[in-house]
Amino acid sequence: MRLSDDWLTSTWRRHLLAAPAGALPMLAFPAPSLWWFAYVCLVPWMLLVRSAPTGKRAAYDGWLGGLGFMLAVHHWLLPSLHVFTLVIAALLGALWAPWGWLVRRFLGGVPSAGRVAAALLVLPSGWLMVELVRSWQGLGGPWGLLGATQWQVTPALRLASVGGVWLLSFLVVAVNVAVVVLVAVRRSRVPAIAALASTVAAASAGWAWAPQPERDGEVRLAVVQPGVMAGADHRFAREEQLTRELVGQNPDLIVWGESSVGFDLADRPDLTDRITRLSRETGADILVNVDARRSDRPGIYKSSVLVGPEGPTGDRYDKMRLVPFGEYVPARSVLGWATSVGKAAGEDRRRGTEQVIMDVGRGLRIGPMVCFESAFPDMSRHLAEDGARVLLAQSSTSTFQHSWAPEQHASLAALRAAETGRPMVHATLTGVSAVYGPDGARIGPWLGTNTDTAHMYEVPLARGTTLFVRFGDWPVQAALLILLTTAVIGGARTMRLRRTTPPPPGPPAHTPHDSPARHGR
């Protein structure tokens, strides 16, 4: 199968195809959640890129495909950011331009078996570098990593404990590369099949040898989800009512969602007293989330605050990684106009400075995160390293209530649990709330966006350390080494060719009469 037909020699036709081809992976993420589609979702895009007549055109196809990918995976931002969503997608889509060039370099024309073998390492490594760069919090964070499509696949979750979501992304792209070769390069099908077999064998070995979390007790955790409420006072009253339903159920901890308290507790002792009373009645500490201007320092913070039977325990975590445009505007002096075309933050919230482990008692140590911090593998990994036995994310996606965002967000907790070997609770105001065990398997029901309830979960604890917690982002480091090695080999080959290629013949000699000399006369 070849896409370099006459029909694709037209630049505008390639433009017309590149963005939709890049958008196809969106179907592998929630809500469609067609996890199996991830293993072929890049094939149309790569077939188009490899047929590019020049490396420059391949880079353009990579850029436009990246634009389509970013816009599709983040399409739910359109009602909030409007045209700025397109601007962000276009800027971040440029990260795929070098990857497009690499696709043509290694798969263009009729690649040899050696080029195919190299492509199976280089192209997944290039994709991983794109994911790494755009995972920087200032560029939007690691939302939509390709490996995250495998959040409900048990063998994949086991591999996540070895190399995190990065290893899953690498393997998914490698399979897509092999499928492209099977489809488009007949003479290289044997190496492609061998590569697929090797990938399956390596993944199976990792799955078989990866240490499993050792079960070590159980805790009863309750999630309070009040649903869509107008106003902070009404929301608090509903949370209070639902929490009171837990009396007699003996929870070990009760978790409220992000922005569950809209006032600084030091300024509202009446609210503090009401939460303290709830803690006494239920017999459990309550983890609330305060979204308010602080009384002890300037600015608005989002803070996880633990309240016990005697009042606030003193444990507090201030959110460190803020949502660009949603909670602050990057380079506000330049991009402040975004507040006039969408729902960008009118005032920047302040950042916390360090992660916090909270001791609930009875040996239960929790590691809180707020909102999209659950998308960052390093944050949950550090909490596990520091001794957290349960990971918690307090969130609210009410702005995107009827989009795919709530389900995408809830699915990320499964990966963080599997990576760290620690159970994780994803508690929201308006859904989707979810709980996952130490292996990433879902525990109990998802609390959907049409649900307001207080639900109790029996959550298994685990001990031991996963390979990902122990060795960190080693797949990213390996990918960088592969790309550097490829660049060095390519540079050395170019230098060798320059040394062995004879110089072009010089201009013909001229006679004093300015005409070429004629030898032999």
Side-chain angles (χ1 to χ4, degrees):
M1 176 180 177
R2 293 180 61 86
L3 286 180
S4 54
D5 300 325
D6 292 340
W7 195 85
L8 287 181
T9 58
S10 168
T11 299
W12 72 266
R13 286 172 179 159
R14 298 187 70 89
H15 287 347
L16 195 64
L17 288 176
L24 288 175
M26 71 181 294
L27 299 176
F29 292 93
S33 217
L34 305 177
W35 64 266
W36 52 267
F37 184 62
Y39 294 95
V40 294
C41 67
L42 301 180
V43 171
W45 185 8
M46 295 172 70
L47 288 174
L48 175 69
V49 173
R50 72 176 291 273
S51 71
T54 64
K56 182 178 180 181
R57 176 51 50 196
Y60 273 121
D61 293 340
W63 176 25
L64 291 172
L67 184 155
F69 178 90
M70 292 301 295
L71 191 59
V73 174
H74 299 81
H75 70 276
W76 40 270
L77 288 173
L78 279 167
S80 296
L81 296 182
H82 303 305
V83 67
F84 209 76
T85 309
L86 297 173
V87 175
I88 294 172
L91 291 174
L92 294 181
L95 293 173
W96 275 273
W99 184 76
W101 184 88
L102 285 173
V103 170
R104 183 183 180 275
R105 167 69 180 81
F106 285 92
L107 295 181
V110 184
S112 64
R115 266 207 294 163
V116 168
L120 289 162
L121 293 176
V122 173
L123 297 185
S125 297
W127 184 279
L128 226 56
M129 288 302 102
V130 175
E131 292 196 335
L132 178 66
V133 172
R134 73 180 184 87
S135 292
W136 179 50
Q137 182 262 330
L139 294 180
W143 193 285
L145 302 187
L146 200 56
T149 60
Q150 306 303 295
W151 67 277
Q152 56 185 332
V153 182
T154 301
L157 290 172
R158 183 80 171 273
L159 289 175
S161 72
V162 177
V165 68
W166 311 111
L167 178 59
L168 301 185
S169 287
F170 189 98
L171 294 175
V172 168
V173 177
V175 172
N176 274 272
V177 173
V179 173
V180 168
V181 176
L182 286 173
V183 169
V185 189
R186 181 173 300 178
R187 60 182 286 182
S188 297
R189 286 178 177 172
V190 172
I193 293 174
L196 279 174
S198 300
T199 301
V200 171
S204 299
W207 178 86
W209 294 334
Q212 297 185 57
E214 298 178 40
R215 183 153 178 165
D216 186 28
E218 185 176 87
V219 293
R220 293 169 59 82
L221 302 178
V223 172
V224 174
Q225 180 175 298
V228 178
M229 303 293 295
D233 286 319
H234 288 91
R235 181 169 60 245
F236 188 94
R238 181 58 176 155
E239 289 163 335
E240 188 177 31
Q241 179 185 13
L242 291 171
T243 302
R244 195 158 277 118
E245 294 177 4
L246 297 169
V247 173
Q249 297 188 42
N250 300 318
D252 294 299
L253 178 68
I254 299 170
V255 186
W256 290 9
E258 179 188 13
S259 304
S260 49
V261 179
F263 308 93
D264 184 60
L265 292 178
D267 280 343
R268 291 290 302 271
D270 58 316
L271 298 183
T272 303
D273 290 343
R274 288 162 68 179
I275 300 171
T276 301
R277 193 178 309 118
L278 286 173
S279 177
R280 291 197 197 104
E281 292 174 5
T282 57
D285 287 0
I286 302 174
L287 186 70
V288 302
N289 187 269
V290 178
D291 184 0
R293 195 175 301 278
R294 289 184 62 165
S295 59
D296 59 340
R297 62 183 64 176
I300 302 173
Y301 287 80
K302 282 193 175 180
S303 306
S304 300
V305 177
L306 192 64
V307 180
E310 305 302 322
T313 65
D315 289 322
R316 180 186 189 115
Y317 166 65
D318 296 324
K319 185 177 183 182
M320 297 169 60
R321 295 182 182 172
L322 305 178
V323 180
F325 299 100
E327 294 171 337
Y328 79 103
V329 176
R332 184 177 286 273
S333 60
V334 178
L335 302 177
W337 59 270
T339 59
S340 63
V341 298
K343 299 177 182 177
E347 177 184 350
D348 292 349
R349 281 170 169 77
R350 304 299 181 92
R351 303 174 189 274
T353 57
E354 61 182 358
Q355 292 185 267
V356 174
I357 301 292
M358 299 180 180
D359 193 343
V360 180
R362 299 182 294 277
L364 178 57
R365 291 163 57 83
I366 61 174
M369 293 172 281
V370 182
C371 192
F372 97 137
E373 289 183 330
S374 66
F376 292 86
D378 64 307
M379 295 196 74
S380 53
R381 180 165 62 85
H382 292 321
L383 288 171
E385 282 180 320
D386 292 341
R389 303 204 69 194
V390 176
L391 303 175
L392 296 157
Q394 296 172 293
S395 180
S396 173
T397 50
S398 55
T399 304
F400 315 106
Q401 189 73 353
H402 302 293
S403 71
W404 293 357
E407 290 178 288
Q408 282 188 32
H409 199 179
S411 70
L412 297 176
L415 290 160
R416 303 294 87 85
E419 288 169 345
T420 59
R422 297 293 180 265
M424 182 156 183
V425 177
H426 180 79
T428 71
L429 288 182
T430 61
V432 171
S433 297
V435 178
Y436 302 92
D439 56 356
R442 194 177 78 185
I443 296 174
W446 270 21
L447 306 182
T449 54
N450 59 347
T451 302
D452 59 314
T453 186
H455 193 84
M456 184 76 71
Y457 293 88
E458 304 282 346
V459 182
L461 298 176
R463 61 184 174 187
T465 303
T466 65
L467 296 177
F468 179 68
V469 170
R470 192 177 306 164
F471 297 110
D473 302 331
W474 65 265
V476 175
Q477 298 164 7
L480 181 59
L481 180 61
I482 289 170
L483 292 175
L484 289 175
T485 302
T486 302
V488 169
I489 293 173
R493 184 175 296 145
T494 300
M495 294 291 291
R496 187 166 58 250
L497 288 174
R498 287 178 178 174
R499 286 198 299 266
T500 57
T501 302
H510 285 72
T511 66
H513 299 289
D514 204 30
S515 60
R518 297 184 182 182
H519 299 282
R521 290 187 64 180

